[in-house]
Amino acid sequence: MRFRFLIYFSDSYAIPIGKPLQTEILKQGYEIKWFCDLEYPKSLFPENGELIPDVEKLFDYDPHIILCASNHAPDFIPGLKVQIFHGFKANKRDDKVGHFRIRNFFDLYCTQGPSTTKPFKKLAEKYKTFYVRETGWSKVDPIFHIPEEKRSKPTILVSSTFSPRYSFTYHSDVLKEIEKLSNEKEWKWLVILHPKMAEDRVEAIKNLENDNLKFIETTDIIPLFRKADIMFADTTSAITEFLLQKKPVVTFRNNRPEEHLLNVEKSENIEEALKLAFTRPPELLQKIDDYLQITHPYFDGESSKRVIETCIEILKKDKSDLKNKPLNLIRKFKLRKKLNYFSLRSYNKPYTLKS
């Protein structure tokens, strides 16, 4: 059967999450289309994908499986609703209001590794409205297929979250230290920022540019990982993505610093930490490996394949063991308002393919 997949997204950073899935879906001979519920990300949509222009066309497409790189799904469209996540757990918020919040839209959660699988399975036992399967995360598949790039000088990839509470870009002393080091040291700096970063913070970074430091505006950051030896960051979820290469990360005031990170609390300690990171201490590399084994223990670049195969398995599965989802009226109304499409239809029963 030629299954019809839909990738549903709300922000530009979801595009590199969906692209490996699209590649795998087409490889297996199935159909794939995309839908975005905001206007701006549509302008960044890749040329080799098909974007559904409006809600009415969603009904015409009639997807079997809806892969969601967002926190919600169109409940008024039939199809298996699957949460594929838009990032790793970054510890920026309490788990109950962050990564593990259940919004009652999804039939299946495709988790990234044991540290997310275990909590979601506990929630599945509590709610009994969805399944949980560990597949790995599609976005990081390219890391294992893109060759490492040769470098003429030691290279640091700099990344920051957009949250003022956690972003180092709001600390003038850190920016001054980066400026000083980029001018003094024979190090190359590549800087990427979250797509939602405040414009004045972006300008502050652009003002640091020199022969050794370059700001790069992109939503596809994975290729840049292969250009760098280490990362400097704060509390961004990109840290875990970078760590999958088993390369060190220096963080500034990370919200929950663990032993696999080289965390500093003061800007004057950044240089020393970066120097240490370049030496790749064996003890640190072991702690990184231990962290990855519970976070994303997949290094084969085939997480997208596992996601697609799992979705088809659950699509066909008898779901009589699941309960209907709750009414969820407030969230459903907010979604309809966002889409300017007010339908009374809602599929609360877990979707199963009709024979």
Side-chain angles (χ1 to χ4, degrees):
M1 180 173 181
R2 197 155 189 256
F3 297 107
R4 294 184 297 276
F5 286 81
L6 177 75
I7 296 176
Y8 187 100
F9 69 108
S10 301
D11 288 288
S12 58
Y13 53 71
I15 294 174
I17 300 170
K19 285 171 72 175
L21 289 164
Q22 174 174 272
T23 299
E24 182 61 33
I25 290 166
L26 294 174
K27 180 181 176 182
Q28 294 193 27
Y30 305 136
E31 290 185 62
I32 171 66
K33 294 185 181 182
W34 301 57
F35 182 83
C36 184
D37 56 23
L38 291 175
E39 284 304 312
Y40 172 68
K42 294 179 182 179
S43 65
L44 302 172
F45 187 71
E47 294 178 1
N48 62 343
E50 184 175 348
L51 191 64
I52 294 177
D54 55 57
V55 176
E56 292 292 347
K57 293 293 192 298
L58 280 178
F59 289 101
D60 295 338
Y61 182 50
D62 191 23
H64 295 112
I65 296 167
I66 303 176
L67 302 169
C68 299
S70 60
N71 293 325
H72 49 261
D75 60 284
F76 48 84
I77 301 290
L80 186 78
K81 286 34 171 224
V82 184
Q83 172 61 276
I84 56 173
F85 299 101
H86 52 71
F88 281 107
K89 180 174 176 284
N91 298 324
K92 288 189 284 188
R93 283 172 280 184
D94 183 89
D95 288 347
K96 292 181 180 179
V97 297
H99 201 77
F100 300 107
R101 177 186 289 183
I102 301 301
R103 294 176 172 84
N104 296 306
F105 281 111
F106 303 107
D107 304 308
L108 170 66
Y109 287 79
C110 288
T111 54
Q112 298 151 336
S115 61
T116 48
T117 304
K118 187 175 179 180
F120 272 112
K121 282 197 170 182
K122 285 186 178 180
L123 291 166
E125 292 173 6
K126 175 183 177 181
Y127 289 94
K128 300 187 187 304
T129 58
F130 56 86
Y131 297 114
V132 177
R133 297 289 187 273
E134 188 176 296
T135 59
W137 195 34
S138 63
K139 182 182 178 182
V140 299
D141 280 351
I143 290 177
F144 308 103
H145 300 296
I146 299 174
E148 186 78 9
E149 186 170 305
K150 292 183 180 180
R151 294 175 278 280
S152 59
K153 60 177 66 175
T155 303
I156 305 166
L157 181 64
V158 181
S159 179
S160 179
T161 182
F162 67 94
S163 170
R165 183 178 177 185
Y166 298 116
S167 175
F168 72 75
T169 65
Y170 287 84
H171 295 263
S172 59
D173 57 328
V174 174
L175 297 181
K176 288 177 181 177
E177 184 68 11
I178 291 175
E179 182 178 31
K180 177 177 80 74
L181 293 174
S182 66
N183 281 297
E184 291 180 355
K185 298 293 181 181
E186 283 301 307
W187 296 342
K188 183 178 179 181
W189 301 68
L190 304 174
V191 185
I192 51 175
L193 299 175
H194 194 285
K196 290 185 177 180
M197 182 67 74
E199 189 58 39
D200 67 319
R201 295 301 86 202
V202 175
E203 289 302 314
I205 290 294
K206 287 182 177 180
N207 289 337
L208 301 180
E209 285 191 297
N210 56 51
D211 290 342
N212 292 325
L213 188 147
K214 182 180 180 182
F215 171 67
I216 301 172
E217 193 166 4
T218 180
T219 58
D220 191 6
I221 63 177
I222 297 295
L224 296 175
F225 292 170
R226 307 303 277 166
K227 299 176 182 285
D229 298 288
I230 64 174
M231 174 183 270
F232 175 72
D234 36 47
T235 309
T236 171
S237 62
I239 290 171
T240 301
E241 298 172 35
F242 188 84
L243 284 171
L244 282 166
Q245 305 173 101
K246 302 186 180 180
K247 297 176 181 178
V249 175
V250 175
T251 55
F252 177 76
R253 297 185 184 177
N254 186 272
N255 184 47
R256 199 178 298 176
E258 298 180 52
E259 292 184 337
H260 62 279
L261 301 174
L262 294 173
N263 188 61
V264 298
E265 295 293 325
K266 298 180 179 179
S267 59
E268 56 260 37
N269 298 133
I270 293 174
E271 180 180 356
E272 181 183 358
L274 293 174
K275 287 180 178 179
L276 178 60
F278 277 124
T279 68
R280 296 173 59 84
E283 307 85 11
L284 177 64
L285 296 183
Q286 182 58 57
K287 288 169 182 175
I288 290 173
D289 190 64
D290 293 343
Y291 169 74
L292 293 175
Q293 290 305 316
I294 64 169
T295 306
H296 193 281
Y298 303 97
F299 305 92
D300 56 2
E302 294 194 351
S303 292
S304 295
K305 182 179 180 182
R306 283 186 288 273
V307 169
I308 301 311
E309 291 175 348
T310 298
C311 288
I312 293 172
E313 172 207 335
I314 299 300
L315 179 69
K316 297 177 179 178
K317 176 181 169 58
D318 173 70
K319 301 178 185 64
S320 57
D321 57 325
L322 293 185
K323 301 190 298 185
N324 285 359
K325 298 178 191 64
L327 290 177
N328 206 19
L329 294 177
I330 295 176
R331 287 196 180 105
K332 289 177 180 177
F333 175 76
K334 287 181 178 179
L335 177 60
R336 283 157 174 74
K337 186 177 180 181
K338 184 177 186 180
L339 293 169
N340 194 29
Y341 187 88
F342 296 91
S343 171
L344 295 177
R345 185 184 322 180
S346 183
Y347 293 90
N348 294 322
K349 187 177 181 63
Y351 186 82
T352 300
L353 185 66
K354 296 178 181 178
S355 59

